Amino acid sequence: MKHDILSMTLPELEALVLELGESKFRAKQIYGWICKGAWGDEMKNIPTRLRQALDDVCEFRLPKVLKRLVSQIDGTIKYLFELIDGECIESVFMRYEHGNTLCISSQVGCRMGCKFCASTIDGRVRDLSAGEMLGQIISAQRDTGERISNVVMMGIGEPLDNYDNTIKFLKLVSSPDGLNIGLRHISVSSCGLVDKIDKLSHEGLPITLSISLHAYDDEIRSAIMPINNKYNIEALLSACERYFEKTGRRISFEYTLIADKNDTIEGATRLAQVLKGYIHSTPHVNLIPLNEVESTRLSTSKNVNAFKNKLISLGINATVRRRLGSDINASCGQLRRQSTKK
Ligand code: SAH
């Protein structure tokens, strides 16, 4: 089996280069090239013999741009990437004042089954390798010619369901010899795998953890997020509090407002109560306007604002996420779904 070179750390690449009978310093040169998305003839200062030897033992799995939708409203770019085996994933490039952010995928499909999410409708096909996660950033930087300074793992897939590759990716992306994106500029979003949240708290990685909560009681949460039958709200929020105690990093909670499901004023009050029952520092809630999928309907902006104001009046930090790329279906899973349907 060939090495997936984008999943290799610099020390692993150094060992490989030595095995191929070349000097160790070549590894750093190669590492620099692959992080720019260059391979083969493009690696200009690498001798032809070594390029060929690398080609024989390594696979360079850079995601290929299959489709590229640019928002006329805010310049957000949505990519449909093709992987080496023909599977497709999505990434979204967003411009913010504090820098460019890329939202990346962690799996092809997803098996978590959340009712409002397009990524999970046909289940999980496979996990992405660490290099395929990194490759989305490299390809987007190459395509735009701009540096990406922030990454959110909020695309297709459940990052903690692909735990080892996610951890490896976090180490690769923050490596000073590689893309050098600081861990504090990276958010990992999870639907709430409690055992993995506990494991993550011991890794010593100062990322931001976001939890997709979406409900204020178990009845509603279990109806829209099957994971809640395994780890209910009490188990989840207790794990979040343990995570904070261990790492000192605050967790932010995502809450998608769905009309007639979880968007009432009474719901806001119940949400504030349940959060305060478990989370002792001021909780932060990120309210997400729903992108309508199948039977779920978007809350009115009047309800969204009322919900937000109620949370704030009860001492919860609440913000409404700006909707970027609303003209290009920028929320996760929708583009891949259109392409696999064909
Ligand atoms: N599996 C991870 C990360 C991917 S989803 C997670 O569950 O957090 C990223 C975020 O988008 C999650 O908060 C998810 O609940 C939300 N999301 C999924 N489908 C959505 C939709 N149709 N409208 C709005 N938000 C959605």
Side-chain angles (χ1 to χ4, degrees):
M1 232 182 50
K2 289 188 173 187
H3 299 278
D4 166 12
I5 193 166
L6 282 173
S7 292
M8 294 174 83
T9 61
L10 182 60
E12 285 168 349
L13 194 56
E14 282 171 348
L16 179 68
V17 165
L18 289 173
E19 231 175 78
L20 296 173
E22 298 278 342
S23 328
K24 191 170 142 189
F25 79 95
R26 293 288 183 198
K28 230 179 200 167
Q29 292 179 323
I30 297 164
Y31 206 66
W33 285 116
I34 62 175
C35 286
K36 288 196 183 82
W39 183 246
D41 296 347
E42 281 181 286
M43 302 194 284
K44 297 211 190 320
N45 55 2
I46 305 297
T48 314
R49 205 199 68 82
L50 176 56
R51 280 188 227 152
Q52 279 165 356
L54 281 172
D55 224 16
D56 290 339
V57 296
C58 294
E59 205 168 51
F60 182 62
R61 298 185 169 198
L62 194 66
K64 198 172 100 191
V65 180
L66 204 59
K67 218 181 219 172
R68 179 183 195 281
L69 303 179
V70 183
S71 165
Q72 297 307 308
I73 303 172
D74 49 44
T76 295
I77 306 171
K78 176 143 197 178
Y79 292 102
L80 183 68
F81 283 123
E82 186 181 29
L83 305 174
I84 203 159
D85 58 357
E87 293 294 344
C88 291
I89 49 161
E90 297 173 21
S91 313
V92 185
F93 177 90
M94 294 163 283
R95 291 193 177 84
Y96 289 100
E97 261 161 38
H98 59 268
N100 297 323
T101 296
L102 193 72
C103 173
I104 64 163
S105 296
S106 56
Q107 295 176 315
V108 179
C110 181
R111 57 177 178 159
M112 295 297 130
C114 301
K115 293 288 185 288
F116 46 85
C117 180
S119 304
T120 196
I121 294 172
D122 297 315
R124 184 195 65 163
V125 178
R126 68 170 175 86
D127 289 336
L128 296 193
S129 69
E132 287 172 324
M133 298 183 214
L134 197 74
Q136 295 167 63
I137 306 171
I138 296 171
S139 288
Q141 286 194 158
R142 208 170 145 97
D143 182 67
T144 57
E146 294 180 43
R147 179 176 148 79
I148 288 164
S149 52
N150 299 271
V151 175
V152 295
M153 299 190 77
M154 293 188 182
I156 297 171
E158 165 53 47
L160 299 187
D161 187 40
N162 182 13
Y163 188 87
D164 292 344
N165 290 345
T166 293
I167 299 298
K168 184 150 200 205
F169 160 72
L170 293 171
K171 291 179 179 165
L172 288 174
V173 73
S174 56
S175 155
D177 298 303
L179 293 183
N180 196 17
I181 301 178
L183 291 167
R184 286 170 198 276
H185 296 265
I186 300 179
S187 292
V188 176
S189 180
S190 172
C191 64
L193 304 180
V194 165
D195 55 336
K196 299 292 165 33
I197 294 171
D198 282 326
K199 199 168 172 194
L200 185 65
S201 72
H202 292 95
E203 302 280 357
L205 300 169
I207 50 130
T208 299
L209 181 61
S210 295
I211 295 295
S212 299
L213 191 57
H214 304 319
Y216 50 82
D217 71 21
D218 283 325
E219 194 184 333
I220 297 175
R221 194 164 194 269
S222 295
I224 55 176
M225 301 180 72
I227 189 67
N228 199 66
N229 295 308
K230 185 161 184 196
Y231 300 115
N232 66 13
I233 293 182
E234 178 178 7
L236 175 58
L237 294 182
S238 308
C240 290
E241 187 59 11
R242 286 197 295 280
Y243 184 91
F244 175 70
E245 280 164 10
K246 175 85 194 149
T247 64
R249 305 281 300 161
R250 279 196 202 175
I251 289 181
S252 76
F253 295 94
E254 290 155 273
Y255 194 100
T256 296
L257 288 157
I258 309 174
D260 307 323
K261 262 236 155 76
N262 64 359
D263 67 338
T264 59
I265 287 290
E266 193 217 332
T269 308
R270 302 265 314 270
L271 178 63
Q273 280 166 351
V274 77
L275 283 172
K276 285 186 150 178
Y278 295 97
I279 307 295
H280 296 116
S281 54
T282 308
H284 183 264
V285 175
N286 207 343
L287 296 168
I288 315 176
L290 178 79
N291 281 288
E292 297 180 344
V293 174
E294 306 211 327
S295 63
T296 52
R297 288 288 156 261
L298 176 69
S299 267
T300 60
S301 56
K302 191 171 143 240
N303 282 2
V304 173
N305 277 321
F307 198 96
K308 178 183 103 175
N309 292 335
K310 186 73 193 173
L311 286 178
I312 292 173
S313 75
L314 295 169
I316 305 283
N317 237 325
T319 47
V320 178
R321 182 177 297 167
R322 240 173 87 209
R323 273 187 101 195
L324 289 176
S326 54
D327 54 333
I328 53 167
N329 252 344
S331 89
C332 66
Q334 302 184 346
L335 194 60
R336 170 174 175 263
R337 206 165 145 65
Q338 285 165 15
S339 91
T340 48
K341 266 188 187 163
K342 281 183 212 142

